Amino acid sequence: MDRIRIVGGRPLSGTIPISGAKNATLPLMIASLLTEETLVLDNVPRLADVGLLQRILGNHGVDVMVSGKRSGETADHGQTLHISAAHIVDTTAPYDLVSKMRASFWVIAPLIARMGEARVSMPGGCAIGTRPVDLLIMAIERLGAKIDIEGGYVIAQAPKGLRGGEIVFPKVTVGGTHTAIMAASLANGTTVIENAAREPEIVDVADCLNKMGARISGAGTSRVIIEGVAKLGGARHSVLPDRIETGTYAMAVAMAGGDVLLQNARPELLQAALDVLQGAGATMVSNNQGIRIARNGSALAPVEVTTAPFPAFPTDLQAQLMALMTRARGTSHIVETIFENRFMHVQELARLGARIQLDGEKATIEGVERLKGAPVMATDLRASVSLVIAALAAEGETIVNRVYHLDRGFERLEDKLSRCGAAIERLAG
Ligand code: EPU
């Protein structure tokens, strides 16, 4: 298994290109199941999760063609996928595939909407909490599907097709909102979703579906209205920039010091996180190239942050912010309200010398003078990258084990950071 070796203490300077968003790419690829025509996606990041979803879609009979390299293109350009679900040959998503990536459960929506049936394995729990799918199932039921749970599989049936309906989410759910929008796009009649997630990735997927012929309005607000259509067609769509990757590198710069342009980044996708970073002492300027972030010399100030659905501070940046606050001058508080168990980074950060106390959903972080390198590992993507951020400011060498978590969601992480002066390398094996 690969590891990453980091020697802390070097400031970062230069340019980091921001990739297409993982959490938009995955539902966009899944949306290809809604049409027999080809969906072309540009700016797709090269990530392990994208490869895995290609395999999952392949099992349903979907062909994915990756365009070859074009002149002038570098590794900084995303890839272009041509996805064709002309013939769906299998409406079952088996346990051994769905259990590897939770978002693959979302195939249930296009399969039931287009094929009138779907048999999808329950995803099971994962490292950041129980993460149930009850609200996704509720949404599909509200559109007329009959649901049975048998042998660990959700079996959805709607032989005469789905019909529009009202879906009121008792809790904001990104996956529930994606699922409801996709299913409603091919339902007979109008669907209204109340308390919908407002994340930018929801808007990106709705934009793409509208290019495919869907009639979705209100995406990005808590009330989304979908007028179902009989068929969707092909389209071409470029994936929006990854706001979590943007925020992660912004925190890396705030931690290590220096001055970096986050190329292609869009501030409106993560304003709450940028405000927190500014409060902590980073400076930033946005222009049409991206966001330029710097911290030169000044101490980090502590923060008070609560994670919540967009547009508030995202749970997917909580671990990274905690790593940053380990070096603040004073005591910070971070409250995690989205996932009940998303604190696995705490004990690993402690191995580097961090002082963090947990009390239920609240973490108290007492800033320390120095962190010291150590071998560490983490069991999810964002927790792993928080260890990289801490290591950039730790004295001596840190080895981050289980790098495959990073490869699921960060494209060429060590390359992007080393080009800005970090002492970071991948150790094979
Ligand atoms: N929830 C339920 N029932 C459901 C669905 C969700 O109770 O049927 C709960 C969850 O347990 C959680 C809350 O609702 O407490 C919100 O979960 P949500 O459905 O919004 O999360 P998700 O769709 O499973 C996506 C991202 C996550 C991100 C969350 C929150 C993708 C592929 N995943 O997950 O990203 O943390 O939204 O913003 O878009 C990551 O990229 O590292 C990651 C975990």
Side-chain angles (χ1 to χ4, degrees), residues 400-418:
V400 182
N401 292 292
R402 298 204 184 167
V403 167
Y404 62 85
H405 288 296
L406 289 172
D407 292 337
R408 292 188 62 176
F410 289 93
E411 189 176 18
R412 297 182 297 105
L413 173 98
E414 68 278 13
D415 181 40
K416 289 186 183 187
L417 284 171
S418 67

Side-chain angles (χ1 to χ4, degrees), residues 235-254:
R236 182 161 198 149
H237 184 79
S238 183
V239 180
L240 92 168
D242 196 315
R243 64 195 166 98
I244 305 302
E245 190 194 27
T246 305
T248 299
Y249 288 124
M251 291 192 203
V253 177

Side-chain angles (χ1 to χ4, degrees), residues 317-338:
L317 285 174
Q318 178 257 110
Q320 299 90 316
L321 179 67
M322 196 178 298
L324 180 64
M325 287 302 114
T326 62
R327 289 292 314 282
R329 194 170 286 173
T331 301
S332 303
H333 297 103
I334 302 180
V335 180
E336 169 61 55
T337 70
I338 306 289

Side-chain angles (χ1 to χ4, degrees), residues 22-23 131-135 173-175 316 338-339 342 382:
K22 169 180 85 81
N23 287 350
R131 302 185 78 186
V133 287
D134 56 321
L135 300 177
T173 154
V174 171
D316 289 346
I338 306 289
F339 294 113
R342 205 176 199 179
R382 312 303 177 186

